[in-house]
Amino acid sequence: MLQTTLIGSYPKPEYLEVPDWWKDKVHSFVKLYVEYLRSNDAMKDYNELRATKDVIESLDKIGVDVLTDGEIRRADYISYHCCHLDGIDSHNLEEKVCRGGAYSYLSPVIKSPVAAKKPFLVSEILTAELFTSKPVKVQLPGPVTIRDTIIDSHYGDDLESYMKDMSAALNAEIVSLAKSGVKYIQIDEPVFARQPDLALDTGIKYLNDIFSGLEEYPDVVKMVHICCGYPDSLNNETNYKRASPEAYNRLLPALDEIDNLDYICIEDAHRYNDMSVFECCKKKGLVLGVTKIASTTVETVAEIKDRIKAVMEIIPPTRLMISPDCGMMMLPIRIAEQKLENMVLAVAEIRDELLAGVSS
């Protein structure tokens, strides 16, 4: 009841030299990242392992229930996965305008049919699990968001073939994760909010397919994350083109009906959703974002409690999980810790109040 988690990323320790999309020249970060992957630095593997341990132990100590490895090996959540797929060229990059003109960068290019290679996420998650007894969630980018983010020189207008191939590649990775014992698997589809028509026509159908083949693993919790987008700097949202929050009202009823999904993750702290959004979630669980990820202002325990309680008037605590709005990679580590500490404390107080009510 009211488990806490992260959406994905967490601030990287200063000693870790993995490039970040938001601070290492957003226009050319993929080039920097590919160079990092190619480097023969003897300390690279050690520092990634050390950072995994530090992030896991920090989140565990704070009291988060379902952890992530902070995505510390990733420059961003999309290009990292694309580097591990056949059919995508991450070396000969081309200019790409993304998110309706919100930014541009040098992008990987789809040049032949997309297909899975050898599974690569299993070893990362099993490594993270060495440092905790709690479950560690894994995140993969969804096909609609990948398509909006990289250049496609192969499929062209053949959307169905692209969606079929990319979904199959993602499904292969997910099945390998389930076989290895991973219990929480999340698909990141923020572009659903920017392109709700595409999501409703095609994206949600293939989301269901991505999570297929898990009948032997009924304990796997299947999640999708949708948000409206964030700028590449803190405390500066003035000129960033965000998706409309009204997209949630269109998307949640359809997501609520598909078979292969357990939780829908949405942002709520940056700007409170209209309460009608929560009324759309009648069957699935909801992961509620309660802390901002592009602001250094730390939400108070009282603020977080009040919002959770308001949502609990519509969605019972048995179907609620609590998290930040999105990835926390931009925040200073201490600010991220304080936000999570208050989130965990707020949830603990609500749990105590609920238990006290039952016992009385």
Side-chain angles (χ1 to χ4, degrees), residues 24-263:
D24 289 300
K25 301 177 181 177
V26 63
H27 186 262
S28 56
F29 78 91
V30 176
K31 179 177 181 292
L32 295 172
Y33 185 58
V34 170
E35 290 173 353
Y36 168 82
L37 292 177
R38 287 174 166 177
S39 71
N40 294 317
D41 183 354
M43 294 297 291
K44 180 172 69 174
D45 290 345
Y46 169 77
N47 282 335
E48 289 181 357
L49 181 62
R50 177 187 170 191
T52 300
K53 180 177 183 291
D54 287 349
V55 168
I56 289 291
E57 290 182 348
S58 173
L59 297 176
D60 204 342
K61 182 179 179 181
I62 289 169
V64 177
D65 297 310
V66 179
L67 313 182
T68 76
D69 69 354
E71 300 183 355
I72 55 88
R73 292 176 177 82
R74 309 183 189 189
D76 77 316
Y77 68 102
I78 296 172
S79 62
Y80 180 72
H81 202 96
C82 290
C83 286
H84 293 84
L85 295 176
D86 275 333
I88 300 179
D89 184 351
S90 296
H91 302 284
N92 300 294
L93 309 175
E94 299 179 18
E95 186 82 17
K96 168 75 173 180
V97 177
C98 299
R99 307 298 187 267
Y103 69 94
S104 65
Y105 81 115
L106 292 175
S107 163
V109 182
I110 302 176
K111 293 188 174 179
S112 60
V114 172
K117 295 182 182 179
K118 180 181 178 181
F120 65 98
L121 290 173
V122 169
S123 61
E124 296 179 9
I125 299 305
L126 294 183
T127 298
E129 289 178 345
L130 292 174
F131 307 116
T132 181
S133 60
K134 294 179 178 178
V136 180
K137 178 165 65 71
V138 64
Q139 302 76 230
L140 302 85
V144 171
T145 296
I146 294 173
R147 185 172 182 266
D148 189 69
T149 309
I150 70 174
I151 292 174
D152 177 8
S153 295
H154 173 71
Y155 293 99
D157 294 333
D158 190 357
L159 174 63
E160 287 294 329
S161 291
Y162 162 79
M163 293 293 293
K164 181 179 178 181
D165 289 352
M166 185 63 77
S167 298
L170 293 167
N171 176 257
E173 192 73 34
I174 286 172
V175 171
S176 72
L177 288 163
K179 286 181 178 178
S180 72
V182 175
K183 298 302 183 188
Y184 291 83
I185 303 175
Q186 175 181 301
I187 292 293
D188 291 327
E189 280 286 23
V191 173
F192 274 15
R194 291 187 180 274
Q195 300 182 35
D197 289 335
L198 176 60
L200 292 167
D201 292 343
T202 305
I204 292 174
K205 170 185 177 295
Y206 279 98
L207 176 66
N208 201 54
D209 292 348
I210 288 168
F211 281 124
S212 65
L214 301 182
E215 293 81 9
E216 295 181 37
Y217 313 101
D219 293 338
V220 171
V221 178
K222 303 172 288 294
M223 313 169 82
V224 64
H225 168 64
I226 308 167
C227 69
C228 296
Y230 292 93
D232 60 359
S233 60
L234 292 169
N235 305 316
N236 180 20
E237 301 249 352
T238 305
N239 298 316
Y240 189 76
K241 298 179 180 179
R242 293 170 57 87
S244 170
E246 295 176 1
Y248 288 145
N249 291 86
R250 299 183 61 193
L251 295 168
L252 264 63
L255 289 166
D256 202 45
E257 293 297 329
I258 66 173
D259 295 328
N260 297 328
L261 187 66
D262 299 304
Y263 277 89

